Amino acid sequence: MDLPERKVYTVSEFTEELKDLLEGEYPSVWIQGEISNFHAAPSGHVYFTLKDESAQVRCVMFRMQTRFLKFKPEDGLDVITWGRVSIYSPRGEYQLILDTMEPLGIGSLMLAFEQLKNKLTEEGLFEESRKKPLPRFPRSVGLVTSRKGAAVRDMIRIASRRFPGTCLLLSSTSVQGDKAPDEIIAALDRLCAVEEVEVIIIGRGGGSIEDLWAFNDERVVRAVAACPVPIVSAVGHETDFTLTDFAADLRASTPSAAAELVVPDKLEILDRVIQLTARLRNSVTKEVRRRKEIVNETVKRLYDPRRKILERRQRLDDLTIRLKTSMMRHLGELRQESVATAKRLRPEYPKRRVEAAREEVEALLNRLGRSGGDSIKGARTDVEKLAARLDVLSPLAVLSRGYSITMRWEERAVITDARAVRTGEQVRVRLHQGELDCTVTGKREPERDPAD
């Protein structure tokens, strides 16, 4: 069997040839799948795996393309991607180099809207506790909108009709496009720097989600939430919602509705003043009539002042008599106590007390002497008995009868067996009086017991 002509590739050559084939065959391709193992590198590139039920492919999207994404990719998100097939030579793996990506089943702008909304909600940016109340009668109102739009004309018309004296200060800005977020923030800063401005309306007319997207920009939303002046958001129509609506202190369905919420109606206020004036007049009239009736009733119930004086004099006489009786009774009690005290202070009374105490002390001393002598005598007898027992048990008493104690020279350990000593070894012998330093010149070991 003839073999075909053999052409040997290096790994690099073979990989490059496959790479050229794939890139030439698939210059661009749309692929749908689920994102997993998503990782964003510090360089700005993102890496992830696109998978379905039975296969997966590695994907990379470089920083130049990721900056155009309207949403944040994350694991578990179903997406549709567009790019080209290539091979990553160092690992010999094929991969997709993506140019664009959009979420499946929902627009990228709506997904970005929900992601940013959830993020800011978790931060507490939309909490009701952060909302500031609107002033009831603002003298100066700031407007953040386009000077060319219909929204500003509607707000000026309605504010002038409702309360002609209200000052409107327009801080113009573009309301759509890439430059709109920066201009909106700058317009807010300009109005916040004016001390007279008491409330701000930010908004524009209706449009698509792309047209209103500047009011979903994270920087704009944070600027609205951080503004020290109360803000009313009026972006789009009644069905349109932007993130500035949640961050503002109050949302209006349209710019015209915002003007009606912020600027009070002068005619309604005048009607209210007239009604309150009438109610106040009626209330004052009723209160004056009621007070007059109370005064008349009080006058009828008043006593003659002379009767009050006589009653007070009679009360004073009663108290005087009671005071005199009480003082006499108290003086009698004190006199009796004085007599009893004088009796106890006579000379013979303390003398009897002293003699009785002296007799009691002498009796106690006699009892103490007898008790102490008996205790000492018994303790001496016990000590003598213990001393006799100690003498019997004392080793020194045994030495006094001619016995001795043999100890090792240095250790001073008692030797009880001749087998434990070597001939020539020095030992020390303890006598009843003093010690002897001896050298062992011979020894006689005990005879072994035949039973051992």
Side-chain angles (χ1 to χ4, degrees):
M1 179 179 179
D2 295 334
L3 294 175
E5 182 181 354
R6 184 169 62 177
K7 181 179 180 180
V8 179
Y9 293 91
T10 65
V11 175
S12 298
E13 291 172 346
F14 185 68
T15 302
E16 287 299 322
E17 188 164 326
L18 288 178
K19 182 178 181 181
D20 294 339
L21 288 174
L22 284 174
E23 292 180 353
E25 185 69 22
Y26 299 99
S28 66
V29 61
W30 288 93
I31 296 183
Q32 171 185 330
E34 178 186 335
I35 295 176
S36 66
N37 299 323
F38 181 83
H39 171 66
S43 60
H45 311 326
V46 296
Y47 303 88
F48 58 92
T49 299
L50 204 61
K51 67 177 183 177
D52 57 15
E53 293 81 0
S54 57
Q56 64 181 17
V57 59
R58 292 184 179 273
C59 301
V60 59
M61 195 173 200
F62 297 117
R63 182 180 61 182
M64 291 297 294
Q65 284 71 37
T66 57
R67 62 192 183 97
F68 294 108
L69 291 177
K70 298 295 185 181
F71 68 100
K72 181 181 178 182
E74 56 187 22
D75 290 341
L77 188 65
D78 290 325
V79 294
I80 297 176
T81 63
W82 179 76
R84 58 188 174 88
V85 181
S86 181
I87 291 181
Y88 184 57
S89 300
R91 287 199 297 263
E93 297 176 348
Y94 90 96
Q95 63 180 4
L96 293 176
I97 299 177
L98 303 180
D99 292 317
T100 186
M101 178 168 48
E102 61 185 40
L104 182 65
I106 183 173
S108 60
L109 291 180
M110 286 303 300
L111 179 59
F113 178 90
E114 292 298 330
Q115 287 177 337
L116 183 56
K117 179 183 176 183
N118 293 335
K119 173 186 175 182
L120 298 180
T121 300
E122 291 177 358
E123 293 182 14
L125 211 67
F126 303 149
E127 291 288 341
E128 287 296 325
S129 58
R130 297 173 57 95
K131 309 296 184 182
K132 298 179 286 295
L134 303 184
R136 183 68 182 88
F137 302 103
R139 289 170 292 182
S140 297
V141 178
L143 305 178
V144 177
T145 187
S146 173
R147 67 172 64 249
K148 299 178 182 179
V152 67
R153 293 193 296 271
D154 291 341
M155 289 188 286
I156 293 174
R157 175 177 54 81
I158 292 173
S160 301
R161 172 176 56 81
R162 290 176 65 84
F163 209 105
T166 304
C167 176
L168 300 178
L169 184 61
L170 174 63
S171 183
S172 181
T173 175
S174 58
V175 291
Q176 68 183 63
D178 295 337
K179 297 182 179 180
D182 292 330
E183 293 186 12
I184 293 172
I185 295 172
L188 276 175
D189 292 339
R190 288 194 296 269
L191 289 179
C192 290
V194 180
E195 295 183 0
E196 292 77 10
V197 174
E198 300 177 44
V199 62
I200 297 174
I201 300 176
I202 180 173
R204 55 155 291 163
S208 65
I209 186 173
E210 290 82 1
D211 296 336
L212 306 180
W213 193 251
F215 297 90
N216 292 322
D217 187 277
E218 182 175 357
R219 295 169 297 164
V220 174
V221 178
R222 292 188 182 276
V224 170
C227 182
V229 181
I231 291 183
V232 177
S233 176
V235 181
H237 299 302
E238 186 171 358
T239 57
D240 297 323
F241 277 90
T242 63
L243 294 179
T244 56
D245 295 336
F246 299 102
D249 300 293
L250 185 66
R251 176 189 179 264
S253 56
T254 63
S256 300
E260 292 180 354
L261 289 172
V262 170
V263 180
D265 190 344
K266 186 174 183 180
L267 296 179
E268 291 181 0
I269 294 174
L270 290 176
D271 290 340
R272 182 63 174 164
V273 169
I274 292 171
Q275 294 176 6
L276 292 175
T277 302
R279 290 177 58 185
L280 179 62
R281 184 182 295 110
N282 293 334
S283 298
V284 171
T285 302
K286 291 180 180 179
E287 183 66 17
V288 170
R289 187 181 299 115
R290 188 179 69 84
R291 294 290 180 178
K292 283 183 178 180
E293 293 175 357
I294 292 174
V295 170
N296 293 333
E297 290 295 328
T298 304
V299 169
K300 292 178 182 180
R301 291 197 300 269
L302 283 176
Y303 290 102
D304 187 349
R306 289 173 295 181
R307 291 178 57 188
K308 284 288 184 183
I309 295 174
L310 292 176
E311 291 177 359
R312 297 298 181 186
R313 284 180 177 176
Q314 185 177 358
R315 177 65 174 165
L316 178 60
D317 292 339
D318 291 340
L319 293 175
T320 302
I321 294 171
R322 290 175 57 186
L323 176 62
K324 182 176 180 181
T325 303
S326 176
M327 290 178 63
M328 294 301 294
R329 184 172 58 253
H330 186 60
L331 287 174
E333 293 174 354
L334 291 177
R335 186 178 294 107
Q336 293 177 0
E337 291 181 2
S338 299
V339 171
T341 303
K343 290 180 179 179
R344 290 197 301 269
L345 291 176
R346 290 174 182 173
E348 60 273 10
Y349 183 78
K351 184 176 181 181
R352 288 197 302 270
R353 294 288 301 274
V354 171
E355 290 176 353
R358 183 182 293 112
E359 293 175 358
E360 185 177 357
V361 169
E362 289 177 355
L364 290 174
L365 288 174
N366 292 332
R367 289 176 58 191
L368 179 61
R370 290 193 301 271
S371 176
D374 294 341
S375 298
I376 292 172
K377 187 181 297 181
R380 182 181 293 110
T381 302
D382 293 339
V383 170
E384 290 174 353
K385 291 178 180 179
L386 289 173
R389 292 177 62 186
L390 286 174
D391 288 339
V392 172
L393 298 174
S394 174
L396 298 177
V398 177
L399 295 178
S400 64
R401 293 196 297 270
Y403 292 93
S404 63
I405 300 174
T406 304
M407 299 173 289
R408 293 191 182 278
W409 179 267
E410 296 178 352
E411 302 175 0
R412 300 185 68 85
V414 176
I415 300 172
T416 60
D417 191 347
R419 290 173 292 184
V421 182
R422 300 186 307 273
T423 303
E425 182 178 352
Q426 287 186 329
V427 296
R428 179 165 293 171
V429 179
R430 173 73 180 271
L431 305 177
H432 178 61
Q433 297 292 336
E435 295 179 350
L436 299 177
D437 294 334
C438 304
T439 302
V440 178
T441 58
K443 61 180 181 176
R444 286 185 296 277
E445 298 180 359
E447 295 181 358
R448 290 186 178 272
D449 191 344
D452 292 342

